[in-house]
Amino acid sequence: MRRVCFILRVKPDRLAEYRERHAAVWPEMLAALRDTGWHDYSLFLHDDGLLVGYFLTEDLAASLAGMERTDVNARWQAEMAPFFENLDGRRPDEGFVVLEEIFNLDDQLASSLSAPQPPHTEALND
């Protein structure tokens, strides 16, 4: 399962309404996300408008393509587009910037537990 983190920027004068819109997302949109492979999806919003999204998916391209084929996504993206800065005519789901994952605790712990460990040495007393 791939972890995906992305960013967008919400217009400062639209922050309150953006929060309200996400307090009760349309049930049809929730089902579409689930059915197209978006798992453990969360959004985090900073007071300066920085929006960070995170989700798990087997295949990012397939999950995005699956949403592209739904009517509810077209309606949702059209309603959400005015909330964002710097989309340059793109929909929000086309304009988000995916961040490179550079650290994951669970991955490193698993890797370190399966790697050969250096021999244990004790300090010698003089």
Side-chain angles (χ1 to χ4, degrees):
M1 191 75 69
R2 177 179 173 190
R3 292 176 291 270
V4 177
C5 184
F6 65 86
I7 57 172
L8 284 162
R9 183 151 305 270
V10 177
K11 294 175 181 175
D13 62 330
R14 306 292 302 264
L15 292 173
E17 186 181 358
Y18 188 80
R19 283 185 176 98
E20 288 172 20
R21 295 281 188 106
H22 285 82
V25 172
W26 306 337
E28 185 183 3
M29 184 63 172
L30 300 174
L33 288 163
R34 179 198 61 218
D35 295 346
T36 58
W38 298 59
H39 306 284
D40 197 22
Y41 185 19
S42 295
L43 294 173
F44 303 87
L45 183 60
H46 191 274
D47 288 340
D48 69 359
L50 177 65
L51 179 73
V52 177
Y54 170 86
F55 64 99
L56 301 172
T57 185
E58 291 292 335
D59 182 336
L60 177 58
S63 293
L64 290 170
M67 287 303 291
E68 178 71 27
R69 290 188 297 270
T70 67
D71 291 333
V72 69
N73 188 58
R75 292 192 317 270
W76 182 264
Q77 298 303 323
E79 287 215 12
M80 292 297 109
F83 287 89
F84 294 102
E85 296 179 345
N86 305 318
L87 288 180
D88 301 321
R90 296 171 293 172
R91 295 185 331 221
D93 63 345
E94 298 168 327
F96 66 66
V97 177
V98 175
L99 302 178
E100 176 187 4
E101 182 178 21
I102 62 165
F103 170 80
N104 179 273
L105 177 62
D106 291 340
D107 287 352
Q108 287 203 17
L109 285 171
S111 177
S112 70
L113 293 175
S114 65
Q117 299 297 311
H120 181 70
T121 58
E122 296 182 12
L124 300 175
N125 293 329
D126 291 24

